[in-house]
Every structure is written in C-alpha cells, then in structure tokens.
Amino acid sequence: MELTKIKCIHCESEEVVKNGKRATGIQSLKCKNCGKCFQESYLNNGAKPETKRMIISMSVNGSGIRDISRVLKISKDTVMKTLKKRKRSSRMLIQNT
Ligand SMILES: [Zn+2]
C-alpha cells in the first residue's frame, strides 16, 4: 500500500495509505494508526483554511453545526472538529499569558 502525505482526520496520524477508489472515483484512504477510513474529497474540503475560517465565523455569528455543514457542504464531524480545535487553542492561549 502506498503511503500518502495526508493526515488522518480522526487521529491526525500521518500513517495514511490509499485504500482503493470508490465507484464514484473518489480516493478512499485508510489510517494505519487508528484503522479508520475516510475519503480524500471529504478531507480536502474540511482542511481548507478558508473553510475553517468560514466555520469559525459562522459559529461566531450564531449558526449551528447542522447549518454550517449544510452551507459549506462538509460533514458535521469536520465542523465539530474544527470548532473543538479552536476552543482548545484559545484555551492554550489563555494559559500561556
Ligand atoms: Zn487515524
């Protein structure tokens, strides 16, 4: 199996291999660390910095996770993960000052 430079969306391990393509032509990926599978297109959408910015600004403006995932066409998991990460980093910032 071919190792990619993609990080796992579940555990952020870099031990991600290509796991064949779906019928739709979407590259399927598998994490060797946690054993979970995910799709390349799904990952790209969630990983875009502008998507992350949109998630955060929509959340600040009062949009729920369901609204954000529908508008940005990304999974609810990606929305939750981005918001969780943001919370964690802002907490770290507070602790450091
Ligand atoms: Zn993983």
Side-chain angles (χ1 to χ4, degrees), residues 8-9 11-12 26 29 31 45 62 71 75 81 91 95:
C8 173
I9 58 163
C11 68
E12 297 191 359
I26 296 165
L29 302 160
C31 173
N45 224 358
V71 172
S75 78
K81 219 180 157 208
R91 200 162 46 227
Q95 281 169 354

Side-chain angles (χ1 to χ4, degrees), residues 8-13 15-16 31-36 38:
C8 173
I9 58 163
H10 301 287
C11 68
E12 297 191 359
S13 158
E15 301 260 305
V16 173
C31 173
K32 283 167 92 177
N33 185 48
C34 69
K36 286 180 181 167
F38 53 96

Side-chain angles (χ1 to χ4, degrees), residues 31-64:
C31 173
K32 283 167 92 177
N33 185 48
C34 69
K36 286 180 181 167
C37 296
F38 53 96
Q39 289 176 6
E40 199 172 38
S41 63
Y42 165 76
L43 174 110
N44 289 344
N45 224 358
K48 273 185 202 163
E50 61 260 41
T51 307
K52 280 186 183 165
R53 267 200 300 272
M54 281 297 292
I55 292 170
I56 289 159
S57 80
M58 282 184 76
S59 142
V60 167
N61 289 317
S63 295

